[in-house]
């Protein structure tokens, strides 16, 4: 499958609220690479950004180890820790599903891409309604249109979930 790693500018556009812990998790799991981290951080720089963020934004393309060390420093200073792996992966599932949906016209079989993602992620329940081979609820009639509608609903549910989380913090 692997439409990954995701572009850092795209990730910032869709999820400017990610914490250092989310970025670190995404880097470790291959959802984003070092250049993507640098691009994400660069897009989010403000006057109050920590010095390590500015340093990451100015690193050369091959300074991966230094980027990882600086990210660890930012992570150690961050009060927002990810509670569990399930919470850490949620934004990355959303971002990957969103990217695939927005670029579905570029794929030969976008639903196959979702099926591969579903398997790669260990079969998360929230993606199941987009999977062709999953059983339908009683009385439902299967179609590609239904799967795409389910995909849109999943994305909307994730957006609502993250909006609520942002309001809580």
């Amino acid at each position: 499958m692997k439409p990954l790693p995701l572009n850092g500018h795209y990730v910032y556009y869709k999820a400017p609220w990610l914490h250092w812990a989310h970025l670190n998790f995404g880097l470790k799991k291959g959802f984003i690479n070092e250049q993507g981290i640098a691009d994400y951080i660069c897009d989010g720089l403000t006057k109050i950004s920590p010095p390590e963020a500015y340093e990451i934004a100015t690193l050369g393309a091959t300074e991966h180890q230094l980027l990882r060390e600086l990210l660890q420093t930012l992570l150690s200073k961050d009060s927002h820790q990810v509670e569990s792996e399930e919470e850490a992966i949620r934004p990355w599932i959303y971002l990957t599903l969103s990217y695939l949906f927005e670029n579905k016209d570029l794929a030969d079989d976008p639903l196959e891409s979702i099926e591969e993602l579903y398997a790669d992620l260990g079969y998360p329940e929230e993606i199941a309604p987009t999977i062709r081979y999953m059983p339908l609820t009683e009385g439902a009639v299967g179609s590609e249109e239904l799967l795409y509608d389910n995909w849109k609903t999943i994305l909307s549910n994730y957006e609502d979930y993250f909006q609520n989380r942002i309001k809580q913090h």
Side-chain angles (χ1 to χ4, degrees), residues 42-75:
C42 197
D43 286 354
L45 286 176
T46 66
K47 291 180 182 180
I48 61 168
S49 294
E52 294 87 356
Y54 277 96
E55 193 170 346
I56 287 172
T58 62
L59 289 177
T62 60
E63 296 181 273
H64 300 304
Q65 185 57 38
L66 182 54
L67 181 140
R68 286 175 180 268
E69 290 169 12
L70 290 166
L71 185 58
Q72 285 302 312
T73 300
L74 290 167
L75 183 60

Side-chain angles (χ1 to χ4, degrees), residues 13-163:
Y13 172 75
K14 297 298 278 189
W17 40 261
L18 291 178
H19 297 291
W20 305 121
H22 291 121
L23 292 172
N24 188 55
F25 181 87
L27 180 62
K28 285 182 177 178
K29 297 295 184 178
F31 289 102
I32 191 168
N33 62 19
E34 289 85 353
Q35 184 59 52
I37 295 286
D39 291 342
Y40 182 95
I41 289 172
C42 197
D43 286 354
L45 286 176
T46 66
K47 291 180 182 180
I48 61 168
S49 294
E52 294 87 356
Y54 277 96
E55 193 170 346
I56 287 172
T58 62
L59 289 177
T62 60
E63 296 181 273
H64 300 304
Q65 185 57 38
L66 182 54
L67 181 140
R68 286 175 180 268
E69 290 169 12
L70 290 166
L71 185 58
Q72 285 302 312
T73 300
L74 290 167
L75 183 60
S76 69
K77 294 178 179 181
D78 193 0
S79 63
H80 295 99
Q81 298 300 318
V82 179
E83 301 87 36
S84 66
E85 185 161 325
E86 182 180 328
E87 282 300 309
I89 203 167
R90 276 180 183 260
W92 299 105
I93 292 172
Y94 162 69
L95 289 163
T96 304
L97 286 174
S98 182
Y99 177 84
L100 290 171
F101 189 81
E102 291 173 16
N103 294 283
K104 64 185 175 290
D105 295 338
L106 301 177
D108 293 333
D109 185 354
L111 294 172
E112 182 180 8
S113 298
I114 294 296
E115 291 164 355
E116 291 174 11
L117 176 66
Y118 181 62
D120 290 347
L121 295 175
Y123 308 98
E125 190 175 314
E126 62 265 29
I127 299 177
T130 63
I131 306 303
R132 290 180 280 209
Y133 56 81
M134 293 300 288
L136 297 171
T137 56
E138 192 165 325
V141 178
S143 69
E144 280 199 3
E145 184 178 332
L146 174 65
L147 295 172
Y148 283 104
D149 287 345
N150 290 346
W151 196 348
K152 286 186 224 174
T153 300
I154 291 167
L155 289 173
S156 178
N157 290 344
Y158 268 114
E159 289 163 1
D160 292 344
Y161 171 81
F162 291 124
Q163 285 300 324

